[in-house]
Amino acid sequence: MKIWIHVNGVQQGPYSKEQVEAMHLPASTPVWYEGLAQWMPACQAPELADLFGAAAETGSGAYGGRSTEVSYGTSPATAVAADEIPERPANFLAWSIILTLCCCTPFSFAAVICGAITNMRYGRGDYAGAERMSRATEWLVIIAITLGIVSLPLSMAMMF
């Protein structure tokens, strides 16, 4: 049986039942497999209920026994396979923060924001957007360093 899961806004899979068990997912994790009409919490899926014990029997999981109508798509056709998730692109946050403290240019502030957006997009599963934002952050860091180097002699001259 191939099981698809929905974690952090990203559909992942397929996994075997043994792989899902090894992940120690929360009972409320949405799952789908052939035979289910819609996505549902893992503890309520008939084939996975035994993995969650009392929470599945009493319905006292994170959904409190309520009927849930979650919609994550009708099938996992657009899901990203677990082994196809790309590595997180560089966010350059350390450089951005150091430059903000040292140079305090508008470009370094923008780099901090873009670095945070890189992480946010990657977490949502927008891998292409995260890659674009990473490149933009890199350019902002380069511009901030360049402006810092160029402005250093000017600021030294103004002190004397």
Side-chain angles (χ1 to χ4, degrees):
M1 170 174 49
K2 295 180 179 181
I3 302 168
W4 297 82
I5 63 173
H6 198 275
V7 179
N8 295 330
V10 179
Q11 294 178 10
Q12 301 174 7
Y15 297 109
S16 67
K17 185 175 180 179
E18 292 76 26
Q19 289 173 313
V20 171
E21 183 176 14
M23 289 181 203
H24 302 290
L25 297 170
S28 61
T29 302
V31 299
W32 182 87
Y33 53 83
E34 191 73 36
L36 288 180
Q38 63 185 19
W39 289 80
M40 64 176 43
C43 67
Q44 294 178 6
E47 295 290 328
L48 301 176
D50 61 320
L51 300 179
F52 298 97
E57 294 168 13
T58 63
S60 62
Y63 286 82
R66 293 176 281 150
S67 170
T68 57
E69 294 279 333
V70 288
S71 176
Y72 296 97
T74 55
S75 72
T78 60
V80 175
D83 57 347
E84 294 177 10
I85 295 176
E87 187 176 324
R88 184 178 62 93
N91 58 24
F92 301 99
L93 276 174
W95 281 100
S96 304
I97 292 170
I98 291 168
L99 287 168
T100 300
L101 295 174
C102 294
C103 304
C104 206
T105 66
F107 293 100
S108 59
F109 289 118
V112 170
I113 293 168
C114 288
I117 292 172
T118 298
N119 289 343
M120 182 184 67
R121 286 187 175 180
Y122 182 81
R124 273 195 330 225
D126 181 7
Y127 306 122
E131 187 63 40
R132 283 191 310 274
M133 195 55 64
S134 174
R135 284 193 303 271
T137 306
E138 183 177 20
W139 276 106
L140 288 168
V141 166
I142 291 169
I143 292 169
I145 289 172
T146 305
L147 285 177
I149 291 171
V150 168
S151 67
L152 186 63
L154 294 174
S155 62
M156 297 280 276
M158 293 179 82
M159 292 181 122
F160 297 109

